[in-house]
């Protein structure tokens, strides 16, 4: 069982590791963040909240946004068509921003690597990037049960100014006929969705919605079809931690999605969501202190999937 004391101990343990990682430096605005921050929050499917440390410090959602955009694209296009024509559901074993498989495969391997997420972003309905972003913002606010979530303008500008690798992926996808529509509009939306500010409490709630078969524990509103919540938890387990997904499944054993902002959202079916924040990243782009907190909790709670 998860208690306040256990959460406290997990944070203390996680703190031993923050000096070993570094904050993402390929996005200049992220490089400036204090890497020793660490926070954790758990939200149960009944709506109870436990939190410790820097759980209310805002950070950019980055790749965790790919959960929300995927749900929107499934709504707009239908799961069958999206996974058949646009993006696969298999892990790659390659880094999150890898370009290497695009030439040999017709569609990106999964929706959580950047190539897949940019493709998914192109499938979301909206006349332009602003309209798409407004839909995204409204939805992420519901998923996180926080109507104050907004764009971090300086991180967005920083990503947009330096995101040439993502630009390369998007233009390649356009040339292959996978990405439709205007590439720059699609990228603008993608950079914006990665740059919204959230807290560990917010992403714990997102994990709890997925754990609660798509229903918000606080408002009881059904936000995701149960079958889609299940499919997304499966994708989180196999692809959610990039090329560290296999190791994470062995050492932690929870479905999770990380972001280079330092967040990880975890979803334990029918039990809880957990959000961690620690901007010191390992070499794969996953929060180092965050993973250590989750390793600790998984061992003590004895509730890994395996
Ligand atoms: N905005 C980041 C990028 O596209 C997201 C990557 C991540 O969080 O892993 O590079």
């Amino acid at each position: 069982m998860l208690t306040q004391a256990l959460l406290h101990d997990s944070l203390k343990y996680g703190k031993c590791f923050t000096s070993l990682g570094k904050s993402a430096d390929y996005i200049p605005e992220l490089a400036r963040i204090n890497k020793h921050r660490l926070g954790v929050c758990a939200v149960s499917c009944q709506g109870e909240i436990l939190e410790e440390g820097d759980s209310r410090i805002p950070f950019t959602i980055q790749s965790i946004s790919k959960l929300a955009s995927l749900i929107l694209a499934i709504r707009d296009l239908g799961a069958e068509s999206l996974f058949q024509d646009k993006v696969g559901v298999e892990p790659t074993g390659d880094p999150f921003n890898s370009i290497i498989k695009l030439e040999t495969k017709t569609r990106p391997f999964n929706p959580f690597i950047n190539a897949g997420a940019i493709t998914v972003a192109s499938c979301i309905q909206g006349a332009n990037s602003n309209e798409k972003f407004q839909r995204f913002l409204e939805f992420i606010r519901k998923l996180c049960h926080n109507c104050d979530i907004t764009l971090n303008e300086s991180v967005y500008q920083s990503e947009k100014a330096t995101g040439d690798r993502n630009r390369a992926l998007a233009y390649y996808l356009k040339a292959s006929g996978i990405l439709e529509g205007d590439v720059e509009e699609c990228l603008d939306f993608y950079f914006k969705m990665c740059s919204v500010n959230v807290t560990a409490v917010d992403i714990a709630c997102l994990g709890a919605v997925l754990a609660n078969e798509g229903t918000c524990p606080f408002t009881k509103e059904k936000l995701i079809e149960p079958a889609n919540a299940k499919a997304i938890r499966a994708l989180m387990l196999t692809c959610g931690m990039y090329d560290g997904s296999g190791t994470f499944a062995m050492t932690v054993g929870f479905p999770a999605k990380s972001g280079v902002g330092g967040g990880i959202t975890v979803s334990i079916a029918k039990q809880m969501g957990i959000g961690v924040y620690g901007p010191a990243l390992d070499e794969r782009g996953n929060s180092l202190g965050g993973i250590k907190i989750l390793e600790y909790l998984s061992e003590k709670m004895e509730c890994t999937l395996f």
Side-chain angles (χ1 to χ4, degrees):
M1 201 181 88
L2 183 57
T3 60
Q4 190 75 45
L6 187 55
L7 214 58
H8 178 83
D9 292 347
S10 73
L11 186 86
K12 211 163 132 194
Y13 177 67
K15 282 202 167 170
C16 305
F17 298 89
T18 55
S19 60
L20 303 175
K22 61 181 183 111
S23 48
D25 51 10
Y26 75 103
I27 301 172
E29 273 296 301
L30 297 186
R32 304 180 326 137
I33 285 165
N34 171 4
K35 72 170 189 172
H36 294 290
R37 284 178 179 160
L38 200 59
V40 54
C41 173
V43 172
S44 76
C45 288
Q46 290 70 43
E48 294 124 357
I49 304 178
L50 290 178
E51 53 189 300
E52 279 286 330
D54 297 324
S55 53
R56 304 259 169 179
I57 297 237
F59 59 92
T60 50
I61 188 168
Q62 298 298 338
S63 266
I64 302 168
S65 64
K66 295 170 185 174
L67 295 171
S69 56
L70 177 60
I71 302 163
L72 281 180
I74 289 175
R75 270 193 200 166
D76 288 352
L77 213 65
E80 220 180 281
S81 163
L82 183 75
F83 292 126
Q84 205 170 297
D85 305 333
K86 294 292 179 187
V87 69
V89 292
E90 303 299 340
T92 64
D94 295 324
F96 67 92
N97 55 3
S98 178
I99 206 158
I100 196 156
K101 290 206 169 83
L102 281 190
E103 202 173 8
T104 53
K105 288 278 164 202
T106 46
R107 37 175 206 155
F109 265 63
N110 69 66
F112 296 154
I113 51 168
N114 286 6
I118 292 168
T119 304
V120 167
S122 75
C123 297
I124 291 176
Q125 279 171 16
N128 50 39
S129 73
N130 252 345
E131 221 176 277
K132 286 184 185 210
F133 181 64
Q134 283 318 314
R135 282 189 70 207
F136 171 86
L137 196 57
E138 206 175 294
F139 190 48
I140 196 80
R141 284 172 173 167
K142 284 190 172 183
L143 289 171
C144 296
H145 189 52
N146 179 358
C147 55
D148 294 328
I149 290 177
T150 49
L151 180 70
N152 181 325
E153 184 68 32
S154 53
V155 172
Y156 158 61
Q157 292 296 348
S158 186
E159 280 214 52
K160 197 171 163 129
T162 57
D164 291 332
R165 200 178 169 93
N166 285 327
R167 226 163 247 122
L169 288 170
Y171 277 101
Y172 199 94
L173 289 162
K174 172 88 180 183
S176 318
I178 299 284
L179 193 152
E180 292 169 55
D182 187 281
V183 179
E184 287 300 328
E185 281 287 319
C186 170
L187 282 165
D188 189 61
F189 165 60
Y190 174 79
F191 293 136
K192 276 187 182 149
M193 74 175 214
C194 288
S195 303
V196 301
N197 270 341
V198 288
T199 65
V201 180
D202 294 333
I203 60 168
C205 183
L206 162 60
V209 172
L210 284 161
N212 199 29
E213 307 304 348
T215 297
C216 175
F218 301 106
T219 61
K220 311 290 178 215
E221 187 182 354
K222 186 169 145 191
L223 299 170
I224 313 167
E225 285 301 321
N228 293 337
K230 188 175 160 201
I232 288 166
R233 288 197 310 269
L235 272 170
M236 289 164 80
L237 186 78
T238 52
C239 314
M241 302 293 285
Y242 308 119
D243 44 336
S245 299
T247 310
F248 187 82
M250 280 175 75
T251 56
V252 180
F254 299 146
K257 180 74 206 86
S258 63
V260 296
I264 304 175
T265 187
V266 163
S267 181
I268 309 174
K270 298 187 174 46
Q271 294 189 45
M272 70 184 85
I274 302 175
V276 291
Y277 169 52
L281 307 180
D282 64 15
E283 66 285 354
R284 286 161 167 150
N286 295 320
S287 170
L288 197 61
I291 288 180
K292 291 297 172 187
I293 288 178
L294 295 168
E295 276 179 21
Y296 191 93
L297 290 177
S298 151
E299 196 193 314
K300 300 287 178 197
M301 294 195 302
E302 289 179 5
C303 71
T304 136
L305 280 182
F306 309 101

